[in-house]
Amino acid sequence: MTDRQSVVNKVQQYLTEDFSNIQLGNDGVLSLRHQSARLFVRVNEPRKDGSITINLTAPVLYGVTDGPALHEYVAFQRGVS
């Protein structure tokens, strides 16, 4: 069974091969910035079966109210259909 820290180290190694701005937070979450976007990479603790999952999170909107107008804008005004 692989431990979480080994996976964090391997993910960090892979990311630093392609990106020079990888940061490791105090909480063990890796992040990288590209222009105005930031990607967070979280390696989770092993599950009961020993597998380890990795979550990727890229916040895209802050301070907006969820609702039909937002959904329409995101779906149609930004070229996504």
Side-chain angles (χ1 to χ4, degrees):
M1 174 166 54
T2 303
D3 66 292
R4 179 184 172 277
Q5 191 57 52
S6 296
V7 175
V8 169
N9 294 343
K10 184 58 81 172
V11 169
Q12 187 173 16
Q13 175 189 338
Y14 289 151
L15 289 173
T16 55
E17 288 175 6
D18 292 322
F19 303 98
S20 61
N21 58 345
I22 304 303
Q23 297 177 341
L24 178 61
N26 293 337
D27 56 359
V29 176
L30 297 158
S31 70
L32 67 99
R33 179 175 290 285
H34 178 70
Q35 297 178 358
S36 65
R38 180 169 292 279
L39 175 69
F40 296 95
V41 182
R42 177 183 302 276
V43 177
N44 298 307
E45 293 295 331
R47 300 164 111 182
K48 290 180 182 178
D49 66 0
S51 64
I52 294 179
T53 59
I54 300 172
N55 291 79
L56 305 176
T57 306
V60 294
L61 299 171
Y62 292 98
V64 297
T65 302
D66 187 21
L70 175 63
H71 296 197
E72 183 176 339
Y73 177 78
V74 170
F76 300 110
Q77 301 300 319
R78 303 300 294 166
V80 178
S81 58

